[in-house]
Amino acid sequence: MKLVAQSAPYIRKPVSVKRMMLDVLIALVPVLLFACIQNGWNGIYVVLISVATMLITELVCHMFIKWPSGMKIKELFSKEGFIKLKNQYTINNIIAPLISAIIYALIMPVGCNWYVVLIGALFGMLIGKMIFGGLGSNIFNPAATGRVFVGVCFGSKLVYGQGGVDVAASGTPLAAVKENLGMVGQALNEYSLLDLFLGQIPGSMGEVCSLLIIIGGIYLFVRRSADLRACLSMIGSFAIITLVVSIVAYCVWSNQAHDTSIDANWNVFDLFMYEMLSGGLLFGAVFMITDPVTSPTTKFGRIAFGAMAGIITALVRYCGAYPEGVAFSILIANMFAPAMDHLMRGKKNTYTWKQLLGLGVAMVVICLIVGFSVAHQIKI
């Protein structure tokens, strides 16, 4: 048997990398069209700048990474030299940065300053991907890398004409209940659950319409172009914590409302669905956490990977300073992906009761921490 060293993504099913990435593009099309139609030119130019920046950055960096041995720079301007460089490229070197660019644009606010979009796209592609060697070698999600960078460095520039989810700015659904979950009753008067589901709310361009995101996810999973384990474990871990938070918040709010003779105008289901449909959770779980390059290769590794992202998202949302933390959680989980694969090395690619028990204990501990934290935040 001959062992052949190859780079990620490692696909153990009859799906080529090219077909998988084309499927991701197709799944993104409805969300992208919705964002551009709803926001007009303010959304379109963000997409165009992002796409142009990441494609050019990939092109230039890949040219130097795959520079033919012995070829001199002056040969670049000759026909032979151009053919040598051209042979180093595949369609994947175009589709992959295009996907990253679209995802990055869709998690940015509408009408963002052009230079902020450009800097974030450039940083995400350079530091998040190309510095590691390009396609298949990066450990960080390029879109999340760029989004977190501009969120930290240019937070004051991210003014949300249509709202935003990763930075506390204007009246987004998450910002409306960030300081006090008990205010969800008033928030629902402004943003109904149907509005949240159909995307008629402020927020980053591609993260608001849950319906289209779910449709895109169903397409990817039916086509077997995305791993269902990481997606469901991220949503599931966040949902468990959110259910505990909703119960605790309602109990505390109801007791305080009873003491002050105020009727509680919301219930556990209202808060739970409000939190699940708000922010970038669904978008991150469908289009970002499922990236086969930056996620573990083992079955339990992907479950633990998604659960970690969901837990960190909940911690940031309920205990942190930001209303949302999907991009942060994905980058942090990316750092642990190689360690998860290392721990599973030499073991059967399956689940054991010890692994599941450890994950369950971690969930219980996190639920207790978040529950106590939320209980002290609720006030009339």
Side-chain angles (χ1 to χ4, degrees):
M1 180 186 296
K2 182 179 179 181
L3 298 178
V4 180
Q6 294 183 336
S7 60
Y10 306 107
I11 304 174
R12 295 186 176 90
K13 42 184 174 276
V15 179
S16 67
V17 175
K18 176 183 175 181
R19 203 208 83 176
M20 179 186 67
M21 291 193 295
L22 284 174
D23 282 340
V24 175
L25 274 179
I26 293 172
L28 281 168
V29 166
V31 183
L32 178 63
L33 290 177
F34 175 86
C36 292
I37 293 173
Q38 185 184 52
N39 301 299
W41 173 246
N42 287 336
I44 294 174
Y45 87 82
V46 173
V47 176
L48 293 178
I49 293 174
S50 175
V51 169
T53 302
M54 287 199 174
L55 285 177
I56 294 173
T57 304
E58 170 93 14
L59 174 68
V60 174
C61 292
H62 187 80
M63 180 177 68
F64 287 102
I65 292 173
K66 298 295 184 180
W67 190 268
S69 178
M71 178 177 167
K72 298 180 180 180
I73 296 180
K74 63 181 181 181
E75 295 182 52
L76 176 63
F77 302 98
S78 65
K79 182 178 179 180
E80 294 77 11
F82 176 79
I83 293 176
K84 287 181 180 179
L85 281 177
K86 181 182 177 182
N87 292 335
Q88 302 294 327
Y89 289 87
T90 67
I91 188 65
N92 295 338
N93 295 116
I94 297 175
I95 301 177
L98 181 60
I99 291 173
S100 296
I102 293 175
I103 292 176
Y104 169 73
L106 291 177
I107 58 178
M108 288 292 287
V110 178
C112 185
N113 291 331
W114 68 268
Y115 63 88
V116 175
V117 180
L118 188 149
I119 292 173
L122 181 63
F123 185 89
M125 186 56 65
L126 278 177
I127 306 302
K129 180 179 179 181
M130 303 311 298
I131 198 173
F132 294 98
L135 179 65
S137 302
N138 54 299
I139 65 171
F140 293 110
N141 185 291
T145 302
R147 181 61 184 84
V148 169
F149 180 76
V150 296
V152 172
C153 298
F154 299 98
S156 61
K157 301 293 184 180
L158 301 179
V159 179
Y160 298 88
Q162 295 291 328
V165 297
D166 272 343
V167 177
S170 58
T172 65
L174 289 183
V177 297
K178 170 59 182 175
E179 298 300 326
N180 186 6
L181 291 174
M183 302 302 294
V184 68
Q186 289 86 332
L188 283 170
N189 292 330
E190 186 173 357
Y191 313 113
S192 69
L193 294 179
L194 183 60
D195 291 335
L196 293 171
F197 187 67
L198 298 179
Q200 303 304 310
I201 55 172
S204 292
M205 293 197 298
E207 297 177 338
V208 293
C209 187
S210 300
L211 174 62
L212 295 180
I213 295 171
I214 292 172
I215 292 174
I218 292 173
Y219 174 80
L220 289 177
F221 300 135
V222 169
R223 293 277 291 174
R224 302 182 68 190
S225 294
D227 190 88
L228 190 60
R229 286 178 286 260
C231 175
L232 290 184
S233 62
M234 181 177 181
I235 296 175
S237 59
F238 181 86
I240 292 172
I241 298 173
T242 298
L243 180 59
V244 173
V245 166
S246 300
I247 294 172
V248 171
Y250 181 75
C251 291
V252 175
W253 178 268
S254 296
N255 289 334
Q256 293 182 3
H258 181 267
D259 294 338
T260 55
S261 299
I262 298 177
D263 293 330
N265 58 346
W266 57 276
N267 54 44
V268 172
F269 177 80
D270 290 335
L271 179 55
F272 176 79
M273 292 304 300
Y274 187 92
E275 290 291 323
M276 291 299 297
L277 296 176
S278 300
L281 173 70
L282 292 179
F283 187 88
V286 171
F287 295 111
M288 299 173 73
I289 202 70
T290 54
D291 179 11
V293 175
T294 58
S295 60
T297 59
T298 60
K299 293 179 180 179
F300 180 75
R302 293 193 172 181
I303 290 178
F305 177 70
M308 176 181 288
I311 289 171
I312 297 173
T313 299
L315 287 173
V316 173
R317 185 181 291 193
Y318 300 125
C319 305
Y322 290 99
E324 179 65 294
V326 171
F328 288 99
S329 69
I330 290 175
L331 288 184
I332 294 173
N334 286 159
M335 291 190 293
F336 286 90
M340 293 177 185
D341 279 340
H342 179 76
L343 292 174
M344 294 296 295
R345 185 176 298 173
K347 300 179 181 179
K348 291 183 179 180
N349 189 21
T350 184
Y351 316 108
T352 66
W353 68 269
K354 292 181 180 179
Q355 294 169 342
L356 299 177
L357 178 62
L359 188 59
V361 171
M363 286 298 303
V364 171
V365 173
I366 296 298
C367 286
L368 290 174
I369 293 174
V370 176
F372 279 114
S373 175
V374 168
H376 290 85
Q377 298 175 18
I378 303 298
K379 54 186 180 294
I380 294 294

